[in-house]
Amino acid sequence: FAPLRHRIDRHAHREQARPHDPPASAPSSQAHLQEQASNLRLAPAERAALEFLIGNLLDNGYLDGDLPELAHALLPEVETEARQTLMHHLQLALGLLQSMEPAGIGARTVAECLRLQLRHAWAQEAQPAHADHALYQLALALCEQPLPLLARKDVRTLAQHCAAPPERIALALRWIGQLEPNPARRFAAIAQPRLIPDVLVRPSGQ
C-alpha cells in the first residue's frame, strides 16, 4: 500500500499548508486530534488515512464530504481494487476519528453528530441520572426524525412517529438539547472586533 499511503500523505501535507489555517500557536481542533492520533498504534496506511480525514475537517468539526467523494478527490483515476482498498482504510479511519474527543467530531450531518455524542455519553457513563437504556434508544431514534421537529420540540408529532409516550419524548428531547451540534466550537478562535470610529476629534491650538 506504499503508493496509496504516499498519495494520502501528500494530500494531507497540502491540507496542513493551506493559507487559511490558523497559526500554529493558536489552539485548534486539528492539533487536538493529531495529538490523540499520535497515541494510537496504527499501520502506516491507516495513520495516513486518519490524518487525511483530520485534514478534511471543517472549522465546525464536520467532515468536508462523504467518503466516496474524498476518495475520488484523492485518487480520481484509479483501478477498482485500489479504490476498494482506499475506501477500506478511510472507513477504518472514520471509525477512529469519530471515537475521538470531542464527541461528535467527524460527523457528516447534524443527526450523525447528535448520535455520536449520545453513544459517547452512554459509553462513558456520563448520561444524565434519568437516562435508562430505553430512553437512550429513544433519543437515538429521535435523531433520525426531521430536524425541524426536534428544533420545535414537537412532542406530539414525535410521539406519533416514534410510538412513545409524550413524557418520554420530552425527557429524550431534554437530553438531546444538552448536546453540542458544533463539536469544534470550543476550539474556534474568537476574534475581537476592531472598532473604527466614524469621527476623530483632536484638540486644536496645541
Side-chain angles (χ1 to χ4, degrees):
F1 303 135
L4 174 64
R5 181 171 62 86
H6 178 66
R7 198 61 183 274
I8 294 177
D9 286 340
R10 285 194 304 167
H11 190 95
H13 177 74
R14 289 198 300 270
E15 291 291 331
Q16 293 172 0
R18 286 179 178 176
H20 62 261
D21 284 346
S25 59
S28 69
S29 59
Q30 289 196 4
H32 182 64
L33 294 168
Q34 290 285 2
E35 182 179 358
Q36 295 177 71
S38 66
N39 295 323
L40 300 176
R41 299 183 61 181
L42 301 174
E46 295 170 348
R47 183 172 301 280
L50 178 56
E51 292 177 353
F52 170 70
L53 292 186
I54 292 175
N56 278 277
L57 291 175
L58 299 171
D59 290 341
N60 58 10
Y62 285 75
L63 191 61
D64 188 14
D66 58 24
L67 294 189
E69 292 174 343
L70 292 172
H72 179 74
L74 184 61
L75 297 175
E77 297 179 4
V78 69
E79 297 179 356
T80 302
E81 184 177 353
R83 177 65 59 82
Q84 292 175 345
T85 300
L86 175 59
M87 284 297 298
H88 173 70
H89 287 302
L90 291 179
Q91 287 283 3
L92 292 176
L94 181 62
L96 291 171
L97 176 62
Q98 293 184 343
S99 69
M100 292 182 176
E101 196 276 335
I105 204 78
R108 290 153 290 184
T109 64
V110 174
E112 184 179 31
C113 180
L114 298 177
R115 290 196 303 271
L116 288 170
Q117 291 181 61
L118 287 170
R119 290 169 182 156
H120 179 81
W122 189 264
Q124 297 297 318
E125 298 182 351
Q127 64 269 24
H130 64 255
D132 52 31
H133 190 264
L135 187 64
Y136 165 66
Q137 293 293 336
L138 178 58
L140 289 175
L142 284 176
C143 293
E144 303 290 344
Q145 299 301 313
L147 290 177
L149 293 179
L150 298 182
R152 294 198 307 266
K153 298 182 179 180
D154 192 338
V155 173
R156 178 176 299 181
T157 303
L158 290 170
Q160 294 174 350
H161 287 187
C162 297
E167 58 272 17
R168 296 287 286 177
I169 295 291
L171 282 176
L173 286 176
R174 189 180 307 166
W175 188 1
I176 293 173
Q178 298 172 356
L179 304 178
E180 173 56 78
N182 183 346
R185 184 187 303 276
R186 65 187 171 112
F187 296 98
I190 302 177
Q192 296 295 331
R194 185 179 180 183
L195 301 179
I196 301 177
D198 295 327
V199 179
L200 294 176
V201 180
R202 294 186 176 91
S204 61
Q206 295 183 2

